[in-house]
Amino acid sequence: MNAGRQRSDTVPELTPGLLDMPPGLGENAPGTELPFAPLIRRLAARLDETGIAWAVLRNAADLPDYTRYDVDLLVSPDQRRNFLAILEASAAETGWWIAGRIRKRHYLCLLLVRGSPATGLFFLPLDVFTALEFRGWRFLETAAVLHSRIRTPQGIWTLPAGTEAAITLLKELLPHGVLKENSRAAVQAQAAADPKRFRAGLEWAAGPDLAGRLVEAVRRGEWSLAPADARELHRAVRRRTPHPWLGLAAAAAQNLAHLFRPALGFVVCLAGADGSGKTTLARGLAEQLYKRPFKACRYVHGNIGVLPRFRDIRAWCRRRAGRPAPAAVPEPPALKGMLTPLPAWKSALLASYYAVDLWLARGPLRRWR
């Protein structure tokens, strides 16, 4: 989402960032009837028939009938191709289609869609992992994790509570140093229910000393890593990874290639006078599209171009000429940004200049997209 030019001395010229969305926005309400149960049942049955080892990484208790938002699957890397063929066939047979793919190293996100604009669209992101890595460094072994899987009465392969808690904790601590708020209660409960496997997973990744501190921190409800512990965790994972620098280079190459793949998102530019409602419209649109289908909405407030603003050029020229800056004119709230009409020549000049500026801004807009 992108709000257009704003004239305000209190707002930074460029303030990008992910919007702070209301809790639970875009998630499926518990108890509602959702359309993906036939797909999940058919996919699970086909995978078991072909002998492909798979498991849902988290929130599998209510599958195949309910998931809060997406489904995370772990598959052995040597079975990835067969898994994707079965998934695509199962989706087509149950009325779904794949609207987009995000590919990175040992990770593939498939955005599944069902329905139509007339009847309403339902989106199901399916995240497929073939390794448990951070920046090419392996923090748990896929084969060992899949070997510990258990089957629910509904036919869904999932992981023991302790293993699931260890994966969730490590996936968040390694890149961010803090566990997400919506995962804390589940991790704490799973660690308490299965402490042996929880500690074993952390020890494999972090070593016995740091694992012990992490177990105690989870028990006390402390969710942020100290800087020294974060560095120790990164070093431990790197040491346990075969050829860690090759893995890091491969992950970096995959991430670089991802920047040049077809974009799944889009950019909305809202331009208008100050106080005309651009920010309100941008937030409302972002909230409508958040998780339906976009996992993230970025907000840019201010001048998105790359050329200097015309008024800044004029101020620089006045300073070079030794002329004082014009006195500030108070702007009535009802006419903010629109005090005096511009002559035709100046309007044409400004429109032409900023048209070039917006054309040059395609670079940063593509990066945000």
Side-chain angles (χ1 to χ4, degrees):
M1 301 303 101
N2 186 8
R5 300 179 184 278
Q6 300 254 342
R7 294 180 56 188
S8 173
D9 296 332
T10 61
V11 179
E13 197 55 38
L14 188 64
T15 312
L18 297 180
L19 288 175
D20 185 17
M21 297 299 185
L25 182 67
E27 297 180 356
N28 302 315
T32 56
E33 185 176 350
L34 303 173
F36 51 72
L39 167 65
I40 301 299
R41 290 194 183 95
R42 180 164 301 196
L43 176 62
R46 294 281 178 85
L47 292 174
D48 290 345
E49 288 170 4
T50 54
I52 293 179
W54 63 281
V56 178
L57 285 174
R58 57 180 181 173
N59 302 325
D62 297 319
L63 285 173
D65 298 307
Y66 174 80
T67 185
R68 189 173 64 190
Y69 170 53
D70 56 3
V71 178
D72 291 353
L73 295 173
L74 181 65
V75 181
S76 179
D78 59 332
Q79 296 174 326
R80 177 179 180 272
R81 188 181 298 273
N82 292 336
F83 171 84
L84 291 178
I86 293 172
L87 171 61
E88 291 174 357
S90 300
E93 292 166 3
T94 52
W96 295 78
W97 75 91
I98 299 175
R101 304 169 189 252
I102 298 174
R103 297 192 306 274
K104 294 186 179 180
R105 175 180 163 88
H106 290 299
Y107 168 77
L108 175 65
C109 176
L110 300 170
L111 183 61
L112 303 180
V113 185
R114 180 184 173 90
S116 68
T119 60
L121 298 172
F122 188 91
F123 301 94
L124 177 65
L126 203 66
D127 294 332
V128 182
F129 297 87
T130 53
L132 298 169
E133 290 187 346
F134 166 68
R135 295 179 180 172
W137 299 334
R138 193 169 305 163
F139 60 86
L140 286 176
E141 285 289 349
T142 302
V145 171
L146 288 174
H147 183 73
S148 69
R149 64 183 184 150
I150 54 179
R151 198 166 187 260
T152 68
Q154 291 78 26
I156 304 298
W157 288 102
T158 185
L159 301 177
T163 304
E164 183 175 338
I167 291 174
T168 303
L169 186 67
L170 291 168
K171 278 176 61 178
E172 294 297 326
L173 290 185
L174 281 164
H176 308 301
V178 62
L179 185 66
K180 291 180 181 177
E181 289 187 14
N182 60 2
S183 300
R184 294 173 182 178
V187 167
Q188 198 168 43
Q190 291 167 339
D194 190 4
K196 184 177 180 180
R197 286 193 178 93
F198 181 60
R199 179 181 285 271
L202 295 180
E203 286 184 352
W204 196 96
D209 294 338
L210 181 55
R213 296 199 296 274
L214 291 175
V215 169
E216 184 61 22
V218 169
R219 186 188 66 81
R220 295 195 302 264
E222 299 173 358
W223 305 111
S224 298
L225 273 180
D229 286 341
R231 290 191 295 269
E232 183 179 346
L233 179 59
H234 288 179
R235 286 194 297 267
V237 172
R238 185 175 67 244
R239 285 196 302 267
R240 284 162 174 74
T241 301
H243 311 295
W245 300 113
L246 291 178
L248 179 63
Q254 283 285 337
N255 289 337
L256 181 62
H258 173 67
L259 297 178
F260 298 94
R261 294 183 179 123
L264 295 180
F266 59 84
V267 177
V268 177
C269 297
L270 303 177
D274 291 350
S276 60
K278 298 185 299 296
T279 301
T280 302
L281 288 172
R283 175 169 288 279
L285 184 60
E287 290 182 356
Q288 287 294 315
L289 296 176
Y290 181 57
K291 295 189 177 179
R292 294 292 184 265
F294 301 113
K295 285 189 172 184
C297 293
R298 186 172 294 275
Y299 172 70
V300 181
H301 186 182
N303 179 19
I304 64 170
V306 296
L307 297 178
R309 291 183 303 176
F310 202 80
R311 63 177 180 178
D312 293 336
I313 297 176
R314 184 177 59 183
W316 180 84
C317 292
R318 292 179 69 95
R319 288 195 301 270
R320 294 287 295 179
R323 298 176 60 186
V329 179
E331 299 183 49
L335 297 176
K336 188 177 181 184
M338 300 174 285
L339 279 179
T340 56
L342 297 177
W345 70 268
K346 191 171 184 180
S347 297
L349 177 62
L350 289 173
S352 301
Y353 181 81
Y354 285 121
V356 174
D357 193 24
L358 287 174
W359 184 83
L360 294 174
R362 290 183 177 185
L365 288 177
R366 180 175 178 82
R367 186 179 73 248
W368 295 326
R369 182 184 182 192

